[in-house]
């Protein structure tokens, strides 16, 4: 059974969201109960729930938590909804799925203006569960399209965690791995540890081990040597935001990996659902890159590794130029070559801005 990191337990008014607290993996598997928007905000901000599609699902559910007890008069309700939307949207800046999900929820509510507020609340609850269900379906389709690119026997390198834990279930980059394995292909995965928060070492290795897929962890700085000395058939990673020309923001270190893959002639793929595309931005220079606390580098997991007083540079994401990406695997097919025209063609008609 694939891991499902987010679940809504019980009904709209008496229920809560349960999340796997990913900061505690792989040591402990603990479910965190969220009963209000503040708990959800904190969970997103400190990466208890993380990964672009999972952040979108969590934020949609967080919005439901925020407004389920909001005033029953229309003005009061929409005022509370707008404030909660802006609050949750300020939790992290880069993954566009966060804004996509929140704005979809608000648009759904607005489409029901004039109906009783209790009906709007129930509809928002249904919409959040629909976003979750749709994400799971998109991940399955990504797996199907991506597995075609994987040879019968393959060694695959990945970065960060773009697996079940980062989505409603099944993953994006790892959906390709899971599907290839289900098809009987012989797969070996190398997972970059992904400094500073070790999503590769802690999360990708954990979920692949749970699924019985052979995985080996390497330091991020061993990736070049790995490509030089072993046969890596392909690199596949997830994405936090893909813009109109195909430039792709993903976990810091992805760009270095893409350059290495180009140098060693290893195909470099991105896997992401349509909800990760932001066609309102022309190129990657406009993507907001989250800067996180230097303590994540200087004092990782409560142990000091950088002298006190020395600043640490900690961008959480980087941007890989489209020209380094062999293909983008979406739920609607593979975008290749990665260019503005092909992106529009594959994503049409839902994304036309
Ligand atoms: O900071 P994180 O752990 O949220 O970063 C996650 C990533 O960079 C993932 O690769 C990306 O969100 C895709 S998840 C399917």
């Amino acid at each position: 059974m694939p891991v499902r990191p987010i679940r809504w337990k019980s009904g709209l008014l008496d229920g809560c969201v349960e999340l796997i607290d990913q900061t505690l993996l792989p040591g402990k598997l603990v479910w965190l109960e969220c009963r209000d928007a503040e708990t959800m905000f904190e969970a997103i901000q400190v990466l208890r729930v993380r990964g672009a599609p999972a952040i979108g699902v969590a934020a949609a559910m967080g919005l439901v938590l925020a407004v389920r007890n909001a005033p029953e008069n229309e003005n009061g309700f929409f005022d509370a909804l707008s404030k909660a939307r802006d609050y949750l949207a300020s939790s992290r800046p880069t993954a566009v799925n966060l804004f996509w999900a929140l704005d979809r929820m608000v648009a759904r509510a607005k489409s029901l203006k004039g109906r009783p507020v209790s009906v709007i609340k129930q509809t928002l609850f249904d919409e959040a569960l629909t976003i979750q269900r749709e994400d799971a379906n998109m991940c399955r389709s990504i797996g199907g399209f991506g597995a075609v690119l994987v040879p019968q026997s393959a060694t695959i390198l990945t970065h960060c965690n773009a697996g079940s834990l980062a989505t409603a279930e099944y993953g994006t980059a790892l959906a390709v791995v899971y599907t290839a394995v289900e098809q009987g292909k012989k797969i070996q995965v190398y997972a970059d540890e992904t400094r500073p928060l070790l999503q590769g070492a802690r999360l990708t290795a954990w979920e692949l081990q749970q699924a019985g897929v052979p995985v080996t962890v390497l330091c991020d700085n061993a990736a070049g040597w790995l490509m030089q000395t072993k046969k890596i058939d392909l690199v596949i990673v997830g994405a936090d935001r893909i813009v109109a020309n195909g430039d792709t923001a993903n976990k810091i270190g992805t760009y270095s990996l893409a350059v290495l893959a180009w140098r060693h002639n290893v195909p470099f793929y991105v896997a992401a659902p349509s909800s990760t595309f932001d066609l309102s931005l022309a190129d990657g220079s406009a993507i907001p890159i989250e800067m996180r606390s230097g303590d994540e580098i200087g004092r990782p997991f409560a142990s000091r590794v950088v002298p006190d007083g020395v600043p640490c540079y900690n961008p959480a994401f980087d941007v890989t130029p489209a020209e380094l990406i062999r293909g983008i695997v979406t739920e609607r097919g593979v975008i290749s070559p990665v260019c503005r025209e092909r992106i529009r063609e594959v994503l049409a008609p839902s994304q036309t801005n």
Side-chain angles (χ1 to χ4, degrees):
M1 282 294 286
V3 181
R4 301 184 75 208
I6 306 168
R7 59 192 185 207
W8 186 289
K9 194 171 134 201
S10 198
L12 167 60
L13 294 176
D14 60 336
C16 66
V17 183
E18 292 184 328
L19 307 169
I20 293 181
D21 184 346
Q22 299 187 32
T23 63
L24 301 178
L25 286 172
K28 290 185 202 148
L29 178 56
V30 174
W31 288 87
L32 170 76
E33 230 178 57
C34 301
R35 293 194 171 272
D36 51 50
E38 289 71 23
T39 311
M40 185 61 87
F41 179 95
E42 193 267 353
I44 294 172
Q45 196 166 54
V46 308
L47 278 58
R48 300 188 199 287
V49 59
R50 32 71 47 207
I55 291 172
V57 173
M61 291 185 180
L63 198 60
V64 175
L65 294 175
V67 299
R68 63 179 167 179
N69 294 315
E72 293 291 323
N73 69 79
E74 192 171 280
N75 285 345
F77 172 79
F78 276 98
D79 190 41
L81 183 69
S82 156
K83 286 195 175 110
R85 182 259 169 228
D86 291 350
Y87 170 63
L88 287 164
S90 67
S91 56
R92 292 190 78 187
T94 304
V96 77
N97 304 61
L98 172 70
F99 311 99
W100 170 86
L102 289 170
D103 292 341
R104 172 169 160 172
M105 294 285 285
V106 171
R108 186 77 186 102
K110 285 189 176 157
S111 75
L112 295 174
K113 268 196 170 168
R115 305 280 299 278
V117 165
S118 58
V119 171
I120 303 179
K121 288 180 179 176
Q122 185 61 46
T123 307
L124 284 181
F125 178 46
D126 296 342
E127 190 73 6
L129 298 182
T130 302
I131 288 174
Q132 183 180 35
R133 208 169 34 247
E134 285 179 4
D135 187 62
N137 290 338
M138 289 193 287
C139 288
R140 293 276 167 185
S141 301
I142 287 170
F145 285 115
V148 175
L149 306 167
V150 177
Q152 194 55 37
S153 171
T155 304
I156 298 176
L157 175 59
T158 190
H159 189 71
C160 194
N161 172 263
S164 302
L165 288 167
T167 58
E169 67 177 42
Y170 213 56
T172 57
L174 294 192
V176 174
V177 169
Y178 292 135
T179 308
V181 169
E182 280 162 21
Q183 291 173 349
K185 294 183 177 175
K186 192 168 166 287
I187 308 296
Q188 158 75 40
V189 176
Y190 279 95
D192 278 351
E193 67 172 347
T194 316
R195 282 275 283 146
L197 294 181
L198 306 183
Q199 288 93 330
R202 296 187 301 106
L203 308 177
T204 295
W206 180 79
E207 70 164 90
L208 288 175
Q209 186 184 51
Q210 297 284 311
V213 179
V215 57
T216 301
V217 172
L218 62 148
C219 296
D220 302 332
N221 45 9
W225 185 243
L226 178 78
M227 289 190 213
Q228 207 174 42
T229 56
K230 294 212 195 285
K231 179 159 174 20
I232 299 298
D233 294 287
L234 58 110
V235 178
I236 188 158
V237 298
D240 284 83
R241 192 183 296 226
I242 303 170
V243 298
N245 72 344
D247 290 353
T248 295
N250 191 49
K251 179 53 54 193
I252 190 74
T254 302
Y255 168 53
S256 322
L257 207 60
V259 173
L260 285 169
W262 165 79
R263 171 68 178 81
H264 295 94
N265 206 20
V266 174
F268 182 92
Y269 293 105
V270 170
S274 49
S275 50
T276 300
F277 285 76
D278 177 359
L279 302 190
S280 72
L281 302 183
D283 63 53
S285 63
I287 301 176
I289 297 296
E290 178 180 18
M291 295 300 295
R292 294 188 62 88
S293 162
D295 278 351
E296 290 179 352
I297 294 173
R299 237 186 312 167
F301 307 98
S303 119
R304 177 154 286 292
V305 298
V306 176
D308 266 333
V310 173
C312 295
Y313 171 63
N314 190 17
F317 300 96
D318 58 26
V319 177
T320 299
E323 70 199 67
L324 296 177
I325 304 170
R326 180 73 60 90
I328 302 177
V329 186
T330 76
E331 80 279 12
R332 304 191 190 163
V334 179
I335 298 171
S336 182
V338 179
C339 61
R340 211 171 248 109
E341 298 67 35
R342 185 79 187 117
I343 288 174
R344 283 178 165 280
E345 217 172 277
V346 174
L347 292 190
S350 72
Q351 301 246 333
T352 46
N353 49 332

